[in-house]
Amino acid sequence: MKRPVFFLLFFFISISTFAQYRIKGKVTDAETGDPIPFAAVYAPGARVGMNTDFEGGYELNLKTWTDSIRVSYLGYVTQTKAIQELPEQTINFQLRPSDFELEAFVFEAGENPAFEIIRQAVARRKDFDKRSLEAYETKNYTKIEIDIDHLSEEFRQRKTVQKVTSVLDSIRQLTNDEGEKILPVFFSETLSHFYFRNNPLLKKEIVEKSKVTGVGITDGSTTSQITGSAFQEYNFYKNWLTILEKDFVSPIADGWKTFYDYDLMDSVLVGQDSCYQLQVYPRREQDLAFSGTIWIKKEDYSLKQVDLTIPKTANLNFIERIKIQQELEPTIMGPLIPAKTRVQIKIGQVTPNTAGLLAKFYTATDSVFITDPKPTSFFNNSVELKPDFGDATEEFWAENRIDQLSSEELAVLQMVDTLKKIPVIRFYSEGLKFFATGFLPVGKIDLGPWTEFGNYNNVEGLRGGFGLRTNYKFSNKWAFQGYLAYGFKDQRFKYSVSGKNILDRKRWTTIELSSSKEIDQVGLEMESLEGNSVFLAASRFGTLRRPFISTNQQLKFQREFFKGFLFQAGIKLSQFDPLYDFYYLEKGTGDYKSDFQTTELRASLRYGRDEIILINDNERASFGPSKWPIFELKFARGIQWLNGEVDYRKLDFYIYQRVNMGLFGVSRYELDAGKVFGEVPYPILKNHLGNGTAFYTTAAFNTMNFNEFASDQFISLRYRHFFEGFLLNRIPLMRKLKWRAVANANILFGSVSDKNITNAPTFDPQGNPIETFGRLDPTKPYLELGYGIENIFKFFRVDFFHRMTYLDSPDANGFAVKVSAQIIL
């Protein structure tokens, strides 16, 4: 009897084994093709379900057959598909986003149970914040894809677009029938090592290998510095996350209850961890806050994973969606490191007849090392490229990618390579770069800047010019630049030429020699306005105020001794030849003179503790500070040899900082103080920059006239605040228009010593009155207050300024309206 029983038992076990059904597949976003992690996959008839992994994959093993399988996820339309009675099959889902509104949960008594979970998670933030580690290193893989989407029929019918119709048509074969047509224009992959050190807080990324292909990308050295993981870091254990220069509050920030509501949705198993699944959404829909789902481990209240979206209702321009998905893993010391992060930024059409943009960022961490801190000198450069960063075969990438490319991504690579070779695409991409940078690359030289090609003013009349510079292809050690211009009215040539030798690229060290002859204006010198090209161009068009011919020869040396600390020194020989009625009394003789020469010895120190610096080919480019202020100290000594005629000393101190004010917006301030020691002609004094144009600028006092005041000692504060919708969001019409309030306050204390007042005669040698400069009362500040609206029609800003003091000055402008155009998110 044993054998028949054993046989029947074996038969039933075999039947149950072979009767299992294995169903696997992938769940993706129908519009973007991106995986949808954490989606619920459920077979109703078999009562079996699971969540998709970070790559959107799932695998169900059914003991009994059922006729359908269903996939659902918050923010997407639930989809059900039929399944066949087969032992193994693959069923993929493409979910379409839905416009959804969360239903309010009503609790009859007691506190929302989600609040205690969040309270515990916030209380333990320091235990899991990776910034609490003394030092760590990670090996990362990052890929970025940028596509043009929203390809409307009007856009496709344009003549320029029709020239690439064959390429666009082939895209249909590369996407799923349920997906949207896209035009990929950029794709990059990067393998890098990321280094972190605490106390002081320092970060660095060394790009070991990088592959960049894209429309308009001619050299990957600069692009490769910003395609690594350093710029894709999202830490939800910080109170605020900066995305696209906007600050978004974390769901587990200290002030969580001010910004968020929460619903406890479920208790789920994520991998081996039992987690609370919570839905989060902003209390005020216009706030820069997230909406979505977070998973918090029951064991220690640490974040396990997040799937968060910035809602369409947030006060942002052009952005249709910002979505962040992240998986976190603990280190051996406890704090969490993101194992995988996926970010999607969807930019809508500026106008109905244009196209949109879709950017996808993915970072995976292969390994984490808890190490001893590296010396601070190691962190001199925020991003460093290995010498052979661009030399890698396809076989190397196939072996070293943490995640292999999907068939769709391989098709994207092929498409980008095809597109960038099409002549019309190359023409428009180069044209856009020329407009944005001012230079047009032609082999080893760049033509430009285009702002020097033409101008018109009362001194030069019609002005024409031409310039060029060498680029990285010419040399990574030497850089030459120059331009030549001619005024048809004054019949003078103007020029500028310079040569720079880069001695050390790691500790940015250069020596530069330059010579120039140009028309400048007192208080509007080109050297002080190099970073404000729009205002400089506007001020040099039309009527020039107190113009002079400025002839300069300069030798300059600079070196970054450690991260953020830049030293500069040099010597500058200048000649001032006025083109207006100007005289000063020569020291010692009392004779009238109208021109003078100076020889300055210069030195300066600049320190930005967390300023992000990139080496842009042969230039050092700043991305600004993250949190800490930037300090600058400058000293100049005018000497009476090497043709110098004036003996003086100048000392200047400058601070700039961006301050996040949380719910109230963002502030920026600039503190500037200086003193001139010695008796000097007034063009050497601090001629405070006024703004006589109709355009708003942060560099000037906007109700002050040009050349209205000068000082030999001063201190000023320029303060700007951006409410980011805080005030106007409470007005229904303003909320719909997404207008944003701004505020300004500019204050200046200054004075001039008696000897410099005497040095500037008010009459020429013939007794005719001449203009000099206005003086400030040392006990009375110059004060102007402003308010305005930005984001008008998404591009324009209008500011209203009230001059509060010195209203009795000649030609005082008590009220001014300034306009400006800007592209902001």
Side-chain angles (χ1 to χ4, degrees), residues 676-746:
V676 179
F677 302 87
E679 183 178 331
V680 297
Y682 78 78
I684 297 178
L685 301 178
K686 177 66 174 182
N687 287 267
H688 302 292
L689 184 58
N691 183 6
T693 73
F695 303 102
Y696 168 72
T697 176
T698 61
F701 293 90
N702 284 278
T703 57
M704 185 184 293
N705 295 317
F706 288 123
N707 306 117
E708 185 173 354
F709 296 108
S711 303
D712 58 19
Q713 60 181 356
F714 70 95
I715 182 170
S716 69
L717 175 67
R718 295 197 297 274
Y719 179 84
R720 311 186 299 279
H721 186 76
F722 305 83
F723 287 96
E724 298 288 2
F726 169 70
L727 294 176
L728 299 185
N729 276 347
R730 284 152 178 77
I731 305 173
L733 178 59
M734 299 295 102
R735 183 166 62 240
K736 185 175 181 181
L737 293 173
K738 293 189 176 181
W739 288 7
R740 304 168 192 165
V742 293
N744 294 268
N746 300 321

Side-chain angles (χ1 to χ4, degrees), residues 538-753:
S539 63
R540 298 184 67 193
F541 184 85
T543 302
L544 302 187
R545 299 160 183 85
R546 301 192 185 185
F548 64 95
I549 298 295
S550 176
T551 307
N552 302 285
Q553 285 79 41
Q554 184 172 200
L555 177 66
K556 183 171 67 175
F557 170 83
Q558 63 177 336
R559 179 173 177 82
E560 186 177 34
F561 282 99
F562 55 87
K563 180 175 174 58
F565 186 83
L566 184 69
F567 168 76
Q568 290 186 346
I571 182 170
K572 182 180 181 182
L573 285 69
S574 301
Q575 181 170 330
F576 179 94
D577 293 309
L579 299 175
Y580 69 103
D581 290 334
F582 164 77
Y583 293 93
Y584 74 99
L585 299 177
E586 187 178 31
K587 185 179 180 181
T589 67
D591 294 336
Y592 280 81
K593 293 198 66 176
S594 62
D595 57 19
F596 59 87
Q597 294 179 330
T598 61
T599 299
E600 278 190 358
L601 299 177
R602 295 179 163 190
S604 69
L605 300 173
R606 176 186 174 93
Y607 180 62
R609 177 173 175 175
D610 60 358
E611 186 177 16
I612 300 173
I613 299 293
L614 293 183
I615 306 304
N616 181 16
D617 292 341
N618 290 331
E619 299 292 336
R620 186 177 185 269
S622 171
F623 277 55
S626 299
K627 177 182 178 182
W628 296 95
I630 292 176
F631 300 91
E632 281 190 16
L633 180 64
K634 296 181 180 180
F635 175 77
R637 174 69 190 268
I639 55 177
Q640 288 182 309
W641 52 280
L642 291 178
N643 294 324
E645 297 177 332
V646 188
D647 185 9
Y648 61 91
R649 287 163 292 161
K650 295 174 72 173
L651 186 65
D652 290 280
F653 179 67
Y654 172 82
I655 304 177
Y656 165 79
Q657 188 177 16
R658 177 184 184 274
V659 182
N660 181 5
M661 306 295 286
L663 180 66
F664 302 101
V666 176
S667 290
R668 291 179 171 89
Y669 72 85
E670 295 175 82
L671 178 68
D672 196 8
K675 183 174 177 62
V676 179
F677 302 87
E679 183 178 331
V680 297
Y682 78 78
I684 297 178
L685 301 178
K686 177 66 174 182
N687 287 267
H688 302 292
L689 184 58
N691 183 6
T693 73
F695 303 102
Y696 168 72
T697 176
T698 61
F701 293 90
N702 284 278
T703 57
M704 185 184 293
N705 295 317
F706 288 123
N707 306 117
E708 185 173 354
F709 296 108
S711 303
D712 58 19
Q713 60 181 356
F714 70 95
I715 182 170
S716 69
L717 175 67
R718 295 197 297 274
Y719 179 84
R720 311 186 299 279
H721 186 76
F722 305 83
F723 287 96
E724 298 288 2
F726 169 70
L727 294 176
L728 299 185
N729 276 347
R730 284 152 178 77
I731 305 173
L733 178 59
M734 299 295 102
R735 183 166 62 240
K736 185 175 181 181
L737 293 173
K738 293 189 176 181
W739 288 7
R740 304 168 192 165
V742 293
N744 294 268
N746 300 321
I747 186 170
L748 166 68
F749 284 91
S751 65
V752 184
S753 61

Side-chain angles (χ1 to χ4, degrees), residues 12 35 62-63 92 101 117 234 283 393 444 538 575 680 690 703 722 745 786:
F12 283 115
L62 309 181
K63 293 183 178 181
N92 296 321
E101 294 185 0
I117 299 171
Y234 303 93
R283 285 185 176 270
T393 63
K444 297 181 179 181
Q575 181 170 330
V680 297
T703 57
F722 305 83

